[in-house]
Amino acid sequence: MAHLELFLFTWGLYPRRILIYLHEKGLFNSPHIKVTQVTISATAEMIAPGKPKGTVPILVLPDGTFIKQSVAILDYLEDICDKPEEAWQQDIASAAKTSMRGSNARGRATIREILALVDEATSMFGFACHKGSKLFLEIEPTNSAASSMAMGIVRRNMKLLEPYYEGRFEGDSSEAEKVTIADCVFFSFLQFSRELYGVDLVADSELRNLRRFYVTFKERESAKIPEDFYPLYIKELAPIWLE
């Protein structure tokens, strides 16, 4: 049976996007999608049987080729569900829920706009963590001023994202049809920054729509995580920010 193999860290930010998506899409238990967790070797390499070289997530296709970027992986899965061409793709599509990229051109453009803002915020947040979190103090040069500047861009993007969520997620949180790939990507970022680094990016009183989105989405089955989800040694250092 043809299948896709997905290599990832369960708790990593970018793989987390995909896991939330698979739950929301109804594909988490698909027999055609094998999820393989990687481990870190003594030489800091990501290893797992059959894993291609490189960082995760990596999606290996039945023909042996692979896709690495998380949003590209989500787009690929949406494509084969929207227009399945092979029997195994048709099996996946038959189990999948409706399109998560919008029902028309305007809706799809809006999702791309949200993804662009979230990806920029994610990159800047990562930079801020590397320069300002104690987690990286012994690994690379730190710079609290650079960290603060990057966080300023992150918070600016939160304000730019606020209007996109006006009127959304106001009803029953079980309405799966309203969830988009942008929602999965955005929520995983907000959850990661809050639960691992102790930064609540939607705490600003002006971000009422984003706060509602976060509070509502975190109650979904796809979003729930256990207390020990993040490795203890990382969780102890990550929320300590340098002066």
Side-chain angles (χ1 to χ4, degrees):
M1 179 175 66
H3 71 270
L4 304 168
E5 185 165 12
L6 182 61
F7 293 89
L8 47 70
F9 278 123
T10 301
W11 58 269
L13 171 57
Y14 294 103
R16 184 79 182 125
R17 296 173 168 184
I18 300 171
L19 289 174
I20 291 175
Y21 165 85
L22 290 176
H23 276 283
E24 294 293 340
K25 191 70 174 177
L27 298 177
F28 188 74
N29 295 314
S30 170
H32 292 281
I33 302 176
K34 177 184 177 182
V35 177
T36 300
Q37 294 190 40
V38 305
T39 57
I40 299 291
S41 71
T43 56
E45 292 181 285
M46 297 180 178
I47 58 174
K51 175 189 168 296
K53 291 182 179 180
T55 58
V56 294
I58 300 174
L59 180 68
V60 180
L61 309 188
D63 64 3
T65 61
F66 49 87
I67 304 169
K68 287 189 173 182
Q69 298 298 322
S70 60
V71 174
I73 291 172
L74 299 186
D75 271 333
Y76 173 80
L77 293 172
E78 284 291 296
D79 282 339
I80 66 173
C81 287
D82 287 347
K83 295 182 179 179
E85 298 176 351
E86 301 180 40
W88 64 271
Q89 294 177 348
Q90 292 169 2
D91 287 343
I92 289 177
S94 66
K97 295 179 181 177
T98 186
S99 174
M100 292 171 62
R101 286 188 298 194
S103 57
N104 53 45
R106 173 67 261 184
R108 290 189 288 274
T110 297
I111 289 171
R112 288 193 291 271
E113 289 172 1
I114 295 172
L115 285 171
L117 288 169
V118 172
D119 269 345
E120 182 181 35
T122 301
S123 296
M124 287 295 100
F125 185 81
F127 179 83
C129 293
H130 279 257
K131 295 303 176 186
S133 168
K134 190 175 180 180
L135 179 63
F136 299 95
L137 186 60
E138 303 297 327
I139 303 175
E140 59 185 77
T142 56
N143 186 316
S144 58
S147 178
S148 179
M149 179 189 70
M151 284 301 298
I153 297 173
V154 175
R155 298 192 186 282
R156 179 206 67 188
N157 279 26
M158 293 302 104
K159 292 182 179 180
L160 292 175
L161 284 160
E162 169 69 4
Y164 287 99
Y165 283 84
E166 183 174 0
R168 297 196 62 222
F169 290 88
E170 289 185 327
D172 185 351
S173 64
S174 67
E175 294 178 15
E177 64 273 10
K178 70 173 15 175
V179 176
T180 70
I181 60 172
D183 297 329
C184 298
V185 170
F186 191 19
F187 176 82
S188 64
F189 171 52
L190 296 177
Q191 185 180 53
F192 182 80
S193 60
R194 179 188 174 101
E195 298 298 329
L196 184 56
Y197 284 94
V199 179
D200 186 350
L201 292 174
V202 295
D204 190 321
S205 61
E206 295 182 0
L207 302 178
R208 290 186 293 273
N209 294 327
L210 298 190
R211 165 61 60 178
R212 181 180 62 246
F213 162 65
Y214 181 78
V215 169
T216 303
F217 202 106
K218 75 175 184 178
E219 296 304 316
R220 301 180 70 84
E221 286 301 315
S222 65
K224 293 178 181 178
I225 56 176
E227 288 287 331
D228 60 350
F229 186 69
Y230 297 106
L232 182 60
Y233 75 97
I234 292 179
K235 194 168 184 179
E236 287 178 340
L237 293 176
I240 303 176
W241 293 80
L242 306 174
E243 296 294 333

